[in-house]
Amino acid sequence: MKIKEDAVLLAHGSGGKLMHDLIRELFIEKFANPVLAKEDDSAVLEVVGGRLAFTTDTYVVKPLFFPGGDIGRLAVCGTVNDLATSGATPKYLSCGFVIEEGLSLEVLERVLDSMVEAAAEAWVTIVTGDTKVVEKGGADGLFINTAGIGAVPEGVVLSGANLKVGDKIILSGTLGDHGIAVISKREGFEFSSPAMSDAAPLNGLVADLLSAAKSVRALRDPTRGGLASTLNEFATASKVGIEIDEAAVPIKPEVMAACEMLGYDPFHVANEGKLIAVVGAEEAPVALETMRRHLYGQDAAIIGKVTAGPPGRVILKTPIGSTRILDMLVGEQLPRIC
Amino acid sequence: MKIKEDAVLLAHGSGGKLMHDLIRELFIEKFANPVLAKEDDSAVLEVVGGRLAFTTDTYVVKPLFFPGGDIGRLAVCGTVNDLATSGATPKYLSCGFVIEEGLSLEVLERVLDSMVEAAAEAWVTIVTGDTKVVEKGGADGLFINTAGIGAVPEGVVLSGANLKVGDKIILSGTLGDHGIAVISKREGFEFSSPAMSDAAPLNGLVADLLSAAKSVRALRDPTRGGLASTLNEFATASKVGIEIDEAAVPIKPEVMAACEMLGYDPFHVANEGKLIAVVGAEEAPVALETMRRHLYGQDAAIIGKVTAGPPGRVILKTPIGSTRILDMLVGEQLPRIC
């Protein structure tokens, strides 16, 4: 890197010479691809006709680095996962950086390296971007927005409104890893076996699942608001009930211990490398087997089923045989988790 | 609006009930369209095959409201203009909000109203979005990212690398209005005739221009870094020289006066509703006439020409007959202008 400064200056966002140097020497160098290298205001991409998925997310996670990931990995994986769970094959990402004056260039470089690595793993290309610098105190370190474009293969129609009574609910792995990893790091909690974020791109897992099972009704990654919020969204959109068997939900002991200590409900804690699949009952076993063969689905489990109702109601069957309503998160338990 | 709170709470970004209420009662209500109303993680759009333009920008302008515009109008127009100056017909926008806890909901609503109005004027639809809330002091009020998708018509190939010796440089209107309007408002300067931001969507102007003149080589909107930075980008990319006739560059008297008082060079000040067109010499008159007939091109002027070089060099001919090199902005003169 030929940039001489150690930290980001306001002038790096000026539109002038320093910004051009930063973009060329750092962003274009790292994200190396011919579209970005043109330095035009828009990327121009060849696409085939059909259905395109388009999504966006801004990442404001604090701290920027945490066990198992960082804001860069999150910014790529989160948007890839929003595309993948729509049934799309993620293709292109944009990135918009808001940098607080004074951020160390070494930190920025580490974040970019992490984005490059995650983009390579997810087979997506970062084709266009923007950098803004705000004065010290105007933002907290670094925020990253990514928007993404993917192609939806013919015949794939996934929607939270498609659930049918009798369908099975499959969770791709353990619950709450990301949220507990971030909050533990931020608050300085020291556990003997600390939680690791699950931040990962799920498009490979989704592709395997969709080719193995035709009756996939809906996919979603339970990020902010956790599994409970996603299930409530599904139940409301499809006007069905959902029944979850608490004992079947995989949760790591260290995450469960942290949740109990800190007073969090793991069903409300954010995940960044998990998905919920709703699949026709007949195909549920093959869907589960397919997911378990994938690196990011090894702990997949059938955790419940779709019921006739009451519509919009999510019920949790506890191990002792009682039931409770699993509501959407009300209020805020973990700000700046993604 | 059924939201009971007066200000944005951290819980409005939680992924839970309050966030769903905010999204439904405010964002989906305002941006009313069937794609957004599905509340899926990605918008799924039908597109025809061909070339797609894709761009992103984050807006961190301070203050949020200024004479002639606000952050909402800017966030729509800026991204529309990046698409339009690539030769694309802007179609769809995403929006990502970072909101500081405590922002008044009335302010947020005014910004959204302004986005709705600008999107209607530009014929674009806001199809997907994201909202993050950070704690007080974690961000300064409100940042908005918009990414945009447009379709590039067959045969349209615009690039800053396409300039040919002899081409004319056309500027669509007066220089520096946006930057001076924002800085004057921010610093509380009171001028007898205050500058007004030119923030406007330029896709209509671009469409008219492209249908009137086939020899348009490149278009760009001179935002951060101003006209000087854009011309330097063009000259470098095309390995040509550019000669600008200072007397031909339209600048409003109030903007010129403010620049002189505040020590700014109008060639470095940001514009948000202007474009530079490089057009073959033969078609320059018809291009100019076409632009002048458009609301946002009334003050268009031919301000210079492409020369053999030295390559990458932009020369300004002053009214008294001398010449000076018009360099890219070095350092930062106007932070948080867009």
mmCIF file of all heavy atoms in Angstrom, chain A residues 1 24 74 89 123 131 147 169 171 202 247 249 262 265 268 277 319 328 334:
data_model
loop_
_atom_site.group_PDB
_atom_site.id
_atom_site.type_symbol
_atom_site.label_atom_id
_atom_site.label_comp_id
_atom_site.label_asym_id
_atom_site.label_seq_id
_atom_site.Cartn_x
_atom_site.Cartn_y
_atom_site.Cartn_z
ATOM 1 N N MET A 1 0.846 -1.198 0.000
ATOM 2 C CA MET A 1 0.000 0.000 0.000
ATOM 3 C C MET A 1 0.881 1.247 0.000
ATOM 4 O O MET A 1 1.743 1.398 0.848
ATOM 5 C CB MET A 1 -0.899 -0.026 1.247
ATOM 6 C CG MET A 1 -1.963 1.036 1.214
ATOM 7 S SD MET A 1 -3.319 0.720 2.372
ATOM 8 C CE MET A 1 -2.469 0.652 3.934
ATOM 9 N N ARG A 24 -7.857 3.917 -5.090
ATOM 10 C CA ARG A 24 -7.003 3.120 -5.982
ATOM 11 C C ARG A 24 -6.083 2.182 -5.227
ATOM 12 O O ARG A 24 -5.950 1.006 -5.553
ATOM 13 C CB ARG A 24 -6.142 4.057 -6.841
ATOM 14 C CG ARG A 24 -6.838 4.316 -8.141
ATOM 15 C CD ARG A 24 -6.023 5.145 -9.101
ATOM 16 N NE ARG A 24 -6.979 6.007 -9.760
ATOM 17 C CZ ARG A 24 -6.735 7.195 -10.246
ATOM 18 N NH1 ARG A 24 -5.530 7.707 -10.157
ATOM 19 N NH2 ARG A 24 -7.676 7.877 -10.822
ATOM 20 N N LEU A 74 -19.135 -9.823 8.198
ATOM 21 C CA LEU A 74 -20.566 -9.668 8.424
ATOM 22 C C LEU A 74 -21.230 -8.950 7.241
ATOM 23 O O LEU A 74 -22.313 -9.347 6.786
ATOM 24 C CB LEU A 74 -20.741 -8.811 9.682
ATOM 25 C CG LEU A 74 -21.933 -9.080 10.558
ATOM 26 C CD1 LEU A 74 -21.976 -10.531 10.970
ATOM 27 C CD2 LEU A 74 -21.871 -8.171 11.778
ATOM 28 N N THR A 89 -29.187 -16.692 -6.509
ATOM 29 C CA THR A 89 -27.752 -16.933 -6.542
ATOM 30 C C THR A 89 -27.069 -15.570 -6.443
ATOM 31 O O THR A 89 -27.141 -14.775 -7.374
ATOM 32 C CB THR A 89 -27.350 -17.603 -7.867
ATOM 33 O OG1 THR A 89 -28.187 -18.751 -8.059
ATOM 34 C CG2 THR A 89 -25.895 -18.012 -7.868
ATOM 35 N N TRP A 123 -18.440 -16.497 -3.641
ATOM 36 C CA TRP A 123 -18.479 -16.360 -5.097
ATOM 37 C C TRP A 123 -19.229 -15.101 -5.544
ATOM 38 O O TRP A 123 -19.991 -15.123 -6.503
ATOM 39 C CB TRP A 123 -19.122 -17.589 -5.757
ATOM 40 C CG TRP A 123 -18.222 -18.775 -5.771
ATOM 41 C CD1 TRP A 123 -17.871 -19.540 -4.696
ATOM 42 C CD2 TRP A 123 -17.538 -19.341 -6.898
ATOM 43 N NE1 TRP A 123 -17.019 -20.534 -5.087
ATOM 44 C CE2 TRP A 123 -16.810 -20.449 -6.433
ATOM 45 C CE3 TRP A 123 -17.492 -19.014 -8.260
ATOM 46 C CZ2 TRP A 123 -16.023 -21.241 -7.274
ATOM 47 C CZ3 TRP A 123 -16.714 -19.802 -9.104
ATOM 48 C CH2 TRP A 123 -15.999 -20.894 -8.602
ATOM 49 N N THR A 131 -17.137 5.964 -0.422
ATOM 50 C CA THR A 131 -16.486 6.214 0.857
ATOM 51 C C THR A 131 -16.816 7.605 1.352
ATOM 52 O O THR A 131 -16.622 8.577 0.631
ATOM 53 C CB THR A 131 -14.947 6.103 0.714
ATOM 54 O OG1 THR A 131 -14.645 4.830 0.148
ATOM 55 C CG2 THR A 131 -14.264 6.222 2.051
ATOM 56 N N ALA A 147 -25.134 -3.521 -0.588
ATOM 57 C CA ALA A 147 -26.348 -3.909 -1.298
ATOM 58 C C ALA A 147 -25.925 -5.049 -2.210
ATOM 59 O O ALA A 147 -24.747 -5.173 -2.564
ATOM 60 C CB ALA A 147 -26.929 -2.748 -2.096
ATOM 61 N N ILE A 169 -40.204 -27.481 10.102
ATOM 62 C CA ILE A 169 -39.292 -26.343 10.297
ATOM 63 C C ILE A 169 -37.907 -26.905 10.578
ATOM 64 O O ILE A 169 -37.718 -27.637 11.559
ATOM 65 C CB ILE A 169 -39.716 -25.490 11.516
ATOM 66 C CG1 ILE A 169 -41.225 -25.201 11.515
ATOM 67 C CG2 ILE A 169 -38.874 -24.233 11.607
ATOM 68 C CD1 ILE A 169 -41.677 -24.135 10.593
ATOM 69 N N LEU A 171 -33.878 -25.974 11.294
ATOM 70 C CA LEU A 171 -32.886 -24.947 11.640
ATOM 71 C C LEU A 171 -31.520 -25.517 11.266
ATOM 72 O O LEU A 171 -31.216 -26.667 11.581
ATOM 73 C CB LEU A 171 -32.978 -24.644 13.140
ATOM 74 C CG LEU A 171 -31.940 -23.676 13.723
ATOM 75 C CD1 LEU A 171 -32.058 -22.289 13.107
ATOM 76 C CD2 LEU A 171 -32.094 -23.599 15.249
ATOM 77 N N LEU A 202 -24.237 -18.414 3.309
ATOM 78 C CA LEU A 202 -25.067 -19.623 3.262
ATOM 79 C C LEU A 202 -25.535 -19.978 1.857
ATOM 80 O O LEU A 202 -26.383 -20.863 1.691
ATOM 81 C CB LEU A 202 -26.278 -19.448 4.186
ATOM 82 C CG LEU A 202 -25.930 -19.227 5.665
ATOM 83 C CD1 LEU A 202 -27.188 -18.942 6.472
ATOM 84 C CD2 LEU A 202 -25.195 -20.443 6.227
ATOM 85 N N ALA A 247 -36.729 -28.848 22.993
ATOM 86 C CA ALA A 247 -35.636 -29.808 23.207
ATOM 87 C C ALA A 247 -34.900 -30.126 21.906
ATOM 88 O O ALA A 247 -33.749 -30.576 21.924
ATOM 89 C CB ALA A 247 -36.184 -31.099 23.817
ATOM 90 N N VAL A 249 -34.099 -27.891 19.597
ATOM 91 C CA VAL A 249 -33.358 -26.725 19.086
ATOM 92 C C VAL A 249 -31.907 -26.796 19.550
ATOM 93 O O VAL A 249 -31.635 -26.770 20.756
ATOM 94 C CB VAL A 249 -34.008 -25.411 19.587
ATOM 95 C CG1 VAL A 249 -33.198 -24.212 19.129
ATOM 96 C CG2 VAL A 249 -35.452 -25.312 19.091
ATOM 97 N N LEU A 262 -26.650 -13.813 31.522
ATOM 98 C CA LEU A 262 -26.891 -12.422 31.118
ATOM 99 C C LEU A 262 -28.377 -12.107 30.983
ATOM 100 O O LEU A 262 -28.747 -10.959 30.755
ATOM 101 C CB LEU A 262 -26.175 -12.143 29.782
ATOM 102 C CG LEU A 262 -24.665 -12.440 29.769
ATOM 103 C CD1 LEU A 262 -24.119 -12.369 28.343
ATOM 104 C CD2 LEU A 262 -23.928 -11.454 30.666
ATOM 105 N N ASP A 265 -32.780 -14.415 26.083
ATOM 106 C CA ASP A 265 -33.493 -15.570 25.563
ATOM 107 C C ASP A 265 -32.833 -15.959 24.237
ATOM 108 O O ASP A 265 -32.831 -15.166 23.294
ATOM 109 C CB ASP A 265 -34.960 -15.186 25.338
ATOM 110 C CG ASP A 265 -35.780 -16.347 24.797
ATOM 111 O OD1 ASP A 265 -35.183 -17.330 24.326
ATOM 112 O OD2 ASP A 265 -37.017 -16.249 24.842
ATOM 113 N N HIS A 268 -34.233 -15.058 20.924
ATOM 114 C CA HIS A 268 -34.248 -13.658 20.478
ATOM 115 C C HIS A 268 -32.865 -13.164 20.065
ATOM 116 O O HIS A 268 -32.714 -12.011 19.667
ATOM 117 C CB HIS A 268 -34.798 -12.751 21.585
ATOM 118 C CG HIS A 268 -36.282 -12.852 21.745
ATOM 119 N ND1 HIS A 268 -36.913 -12.654 22.947
ATOM 120 C CD2 HIS A 268 -37.264 -13.113 20.847
ATOM 121 C CE1 HIS A 268 -38.210 -12.801 22.789
ATOM 122 N NE2 HIS A 268 -38.461 -13.076 21.529
ATOM 123 N N ALA A 277 -35.410 -23.255 7.366
ATOM 124 C CA ALA A 277 -36.041 -23.723 6.137
ATOM 125 C C ALA A 277 -37.387 -24.328 6.500
ATOM 126 O O ALA A 277 -37.481 -25.094 7.461
ATOM 127 C CB ALA A 277 -35.164 -24.765 5.459
ATOM 128 N N PRO A 319 -39.368 -28.868 27.371
ATOM 129 C CA PRO A 319 -38.997 -30.268 27.639
ATOM 130 C C PRO A 319 -39.868 -30.901 28.721
ATOM 131 O O PRO A 319 -40.030 -32.116 28.739
ATOM 132 C CB PRO A 319 -37.538 -30.166 28.104
ATOM 133 C CG PRO A 319 -37.041 -28.890 27.518
ATOM 134 C CD PRO A 319 -38.210 -27.966 27.500
ATOM 135 N N MET A 328 -42.524 -12.265 19.383
ATOM 136 C CA MET A 328 -41.499 -11.445 18.785
ATOM 137 C C MET A 328 -40.831 -10.641 19.901
ATOM 138 O O MET A 328 -41.468 -10.312 20.896
ATOM 139 C CB MET A 328 -42.179 -10.498 17.802
ATOM 140 C CG MET A 328 -41.279 -10.031 16.719
ATOM 141 S SD MET A 328 -42.209 -9.095 15.489
ATOM 142 C CE MET A 328 -42.362 -10.298 14.204
ATOM 143 N N LEU A 334 -30.017 -6.258 22.585
ATOM 144 C CA LEU A 334 -28.630 -6.263 22.136
ATOM 145 C C LEU A 334 -28.416 -5.270 21.000
ATOM 146 O O LEU A 334 -28.389 -5.661 19.840
ATOM 147 C CB LEU A 334 -28.247 -7.659 21.634
ATOM 148 C CG LEU A 334 -28.121 -8.784 22.655
ATOM 149 C CD1 LEU A 334 -27.993 -10.121 21.948
ATOM 150 C CD2 LEU A 334 -26.922 -8.558 23.545
#
